[in-house]
Amino acid sequence: MNDEGPGDNSPGPSFISRLWTPPGPLDVRATLGLHRRGSGDPATRFAPNGSIWRAVYTPDGPGTMAFSRQGDDVLGRAWGPGGPWLLEQMPKMLGSDDNPDEFVAHHDVIARLAKQGRGLRIGRTDRVWEALVAAVLEQKVTGAEAWRAWRYLVNKYGEPAPGAPSMKVPPPQQVWCEIPQWEWHASGAEPPRRRTIVAAAGYDVERKADRLHLLRGIGPWTAAHARIRAVGDADAVPVGDFHIPSMVGGTLIGRRVDDAGMLELLEPYAGHRYRVIRLIELYMQMPARRAPRMPTRDYRSF
């Protein structure tokens, strides 16, 4: 097995490891890919050897985790002060708390997608702050614009990931409050998103994932995306998304719908509504867009 980190020239320092047997089919890349914020994400990398690396600021400090298949099992290797926490959390990250066997397809197309994505599981990181910050940065902008801001701020204020110095650990909650305003500007994140993140940093979001929508600047869309990743909410629906309603409508009834129409179509899937959305995102070949794409702005030049 190649122990080199993603993009590193030599193996990292000593690590601790764990071998885990999934309770059923598991596509590690599809399950963990939800946490990658663009191909240049400094905190989540897909290595050439097929392993998947994540840098996380855990309750015990910074840590790095590498996931790789070993036959029917998954090998987890962890570095840094947060390594033991990450190994303990490993099954949950890979969807051990998820219940895909309870999912019932009510449309032929969804049955086909579920068969194709049989190894998809909705995992949980139990790192609400990390998921919330990234979701706020994605509010009302293109993915490219949001990922640019995430990449800039994590590279600038995150510390080198233990065992994978080419990666960065997202900064802890307090550090986000200390980022100067001009650095937010340099990242391309405009004042409303900065204010929302700084205000949220004053709350214990880790223990109140079910109340995120009560915070100023955090609506149902942002709260849903944070819950999906942090607590593995397979039923969360990101209402207010620019693309998802048309994707759901196009897949299930062949035409675009609004949020109300999407919620009506997803009603039979209560408990697994996000699972349906994720199956469509990953495995449905969508027709070419006819509507103009949202422009990618560069707030840094304003």
Side-chain angles (χ1 to χ4, degrees):
M1 181 184 64
N2 181 359
D3 287 331
E4 291 186 359
D8 297 334
N9 294 322
S10 60
S14 61
F15 54 84
I16 54 177
S17 63
R18 173 180 185 177
L19 196 64
W20 179 67
T21 303
L26 172 65
D27 184 329
V28 177
R29 184 172 179 132
T31 298
L32 293 178
L34 181 64
H35 305 291
R36 187 171 74 152
R37 310 290 178 164
S39 59
D41 187 349
T44 300
R45 297 279 173 86
F46 295 163
N49 66 359
S51 60
I52 298 173
W53 294 63
R54 296 208 67 232
V56 181
Y57 200 93
T58 78
D60 299 325
T64 306
M65 184 86 172
F67 304 80
S68 56
R69 291 306 299 241
Q70 296 284 290
D72 293 333
D73 300 327
V74 180
L75 174 65
R77 291 171 291 150
W79 292 258
W85 186 91
L86 288 169
L87 284 186
E88 181 69 24
Q89 191 73 13
M90 174 181 165
K92 292 183 179 180
M93 293 183 199
L94 295 172
S96 64
D97 289 351
D98 191 22
N99 297 303
D101 292 340
E102 297 177 355
F103 177 69
V104 177
H106 298 275
H107 299 80
D108 289 343
V109 63
I110 298 301
R112 292 195 299 271
L113 296 179
K115 184 177 181 180
Q116 185 176 351
R118 189 163 173 257
L120 172 67
R121 303 182 77 91
I122 309 299
R124 59 183 295 159
T125 65
D126 283 322
R127 304 312 297 141
V128 179
W129 176 253
E130 176 186 302
L132 180 62
V133 168
V136 171
L137 289 175
E138 293 175 352
Q139 289 178 344
K140 300 180 180 179
V141 297
T142 65
E145 187 176 346
W147 298 336
R148 179 183 65 206
W150 170 260
R151 186 167 59 246
Y152 180 91
L153 293 169
V154 172
N155 273 322
K156 184 87 173 182
Y157 292 96
E159 59 183 283
S166 67
M167 298 178 65
K168 289 293 184 72
V169 178
Q173 196 162 337
Q174 182 56 37
V175 171
W176 289 90
C177 298
E178 300 167 356
I179 297 176
Q181 185 169 342
W182 61 84
E183 291 284 23
W184 288 95
H185 183 89
S187 78
E190 74 276 24
R193 287 185 287 166
R194 176 187 64 83
R195 286 195 296 267
T196 297
I197 291 171
V198 172
Y203 294 87
D204 183 7
V205 299
E206 300 298 337
R207 294 194 295 177
K208 298 179 179 179
D210 59 338
R211 306 188 69 180
L212 296 178
H213 63 284
L214 299 179
L215 301 179
R216 185 172 184 177
I218 298 174
W221 185 92
T222 306
H225 275 291
R227 286 186 55 80
I228 288 162
R229 292 164 173 82
V231 300
D233 190 343
D235 193 51
V237 180
V239 175
D241 193 270
F242 188 74
H243 299 297
I244 290 177
S246 60
M247 289 171 49
V248 172
T251 299
L252 298 184
I253 59 174
R255 60 179 174 82
R256 298 169 61 92
V257 297
D258 57 12
D259 279 334
M262 174 183 66
L263 291 174
E264 183 177 352
L265 289 171
L266 292 175
E267 187 174 354
Y269 295 100
H272 296 272
R273 292 178 297 175
Y274 179 70
R275 191 185 311 282
V276 173
I277 293 170
R278 188 63 176 156
L279 287 170
I280 293 171
E281 287 178 334
L282 286 176
Y283 306 112
M284 187 68 185
Q285 185 173 359
M286 304 303 294
R289 301 179 192 271
R290 295 184 180 179
R293 293 179 179 269
M294 289 180 63
T296 300
R297 306 168 304 167
D298 194 344
Y299 174 73
R300 297 170 296 181
S301 63
F302 292 0

